[in-house]
Amino acid sequence: GTEPPGYMALWMRQTKQTTWLQAADLVQIADTAVKLAEAGDVYFGIGLHGEARGKSSRGTANGVIALPGVWLDVDVAGEAHKASDLPPDIEAARSYLTDFPLRPTVVVHSGHGLQAWWLFGELWRFDDKSEHDRAADLVRRFQETMQAKAWVYGWSIDSTPDLARVLRLPGTWNRKLEPVRVQ
């Protein structure tokens, strides 16, 4: 959206450290992510926070002040995941996502699964706690709906509804096994 408020978290799995950047400075966020990706797996915070939370915190759901949409993290069976009840491959996961009546706005291939995004027409900025709670409820109910849909196939889908969730950033690397580009 235009002039997003607050701060975005960039988190590195290897160091467990967070870099907080002003959400409106997309160039700085991109440059920092590229630099961090040289050394490890980079994730970004979905929800924007009202203040930078320090290097040792990815933020909390209560600190989130805005969201871009709803999301789903779909792991795929293979060496990178322990669960045995996952979609068997990327094609099956993609088919599951497109079988839902509302097509995702963006699908990110995270290296060993898919992250699907249904973006809002504009950034949802929370005016008060009630609105924040409605957003949290929407994300939770959306993911529960998609999990129920996956159970029909005999699959499980990770529960990732917390507003402070971090997901892999396209253009970086997934180093769980051999490095794979997140696209």
Side-chain angles (χ1 to χ4, degrees):
T2 59
E3 298 182 29
Y7 294 84
M8 176 182 281
L10 292 180
W11 181 75
M12 283 192 62
R13 182 176 60 85
Q14 287 80 359
T15 64
K16 308 286 191 251
Q17 296 288 301
T18 304
T19 301
W20 290 91
L21 300 162
Q22 290 187 349
D25 195 345
L26 297 179
V27 172
Q28 181 66 34
I29 292 169
D31 289 347
T32 302
V34 167
K35 183 173 173 132
L36 291 171
E38 293 172 3
D41 294 319
V42 179
Y43 296 70
F44 72 101
I46 295 169
L48 301 180
H49 281 73
E51 58 188 44
R53 306 291 298 186
K55 288 187 177 243
S56 62
S57 174
R58 296 185 332 200
T60 65
N62 287 335
V64 171
I65 62 170
L67 279 183
V70 296
W71 61 92
L72 196 64
D73 186 17
V74 182
D75 293 338
V76 171
E79 290 180 58
H81 302 110
K82 294 177 185 174
S84 60
D85 58 349
L86 301 174
D89 52 41
I90 291 293
E91 292 76 25
R94 194 175 300 278
S95 177
Y96 153 76
L97 291 172
T98 58
D99 196 29
F100 186 65
L102 298 173
R103 298 289 170 108
T105 312
V106 177
V107 177
V108 175
H109 189 308
S110 63
H112 304 288
L114 299 174
Q115 297 166 357
W117 287 88
W118 289 262
L119 299 175
F120 302 139
E122 60 186 52
L123 187 69
W124 186 359
R125 301 166 192 238
F126 310 141
D127 293 327
D128 54 33
K129 175 138 175 46
S130 172
E131 198 166 1
H132 176 278
D133 292 348
R134 284 197 335 260
D137 187 55
L138 172 68
V139 174
R140 180 190 53 77
R141 287 184 296 114
F142 176 79
Q143 288 200 5
E144 286 174 354
T145 298
M146 294 302 286
Q147 288 168 331
K149 180 175 173 34
W151 293 330
V152 170
Y153 294 95
W155 302 336
S156 67
I157 303 297
D158 283 348
S159 179
T160 60
D162 63 285
L163 301 185
R165 174 64 52 180
V166 294
L167 290 177
R168 291 186 183 275
L169 189 62
T172 65
W173 295 90
N174 180 332
R175 292 179 173 85
K176 244 184 199 178
L177 302 172
E178 288 295 316
V180 179
R181 179 75 95 181
V182 178
Q183 302 179 24

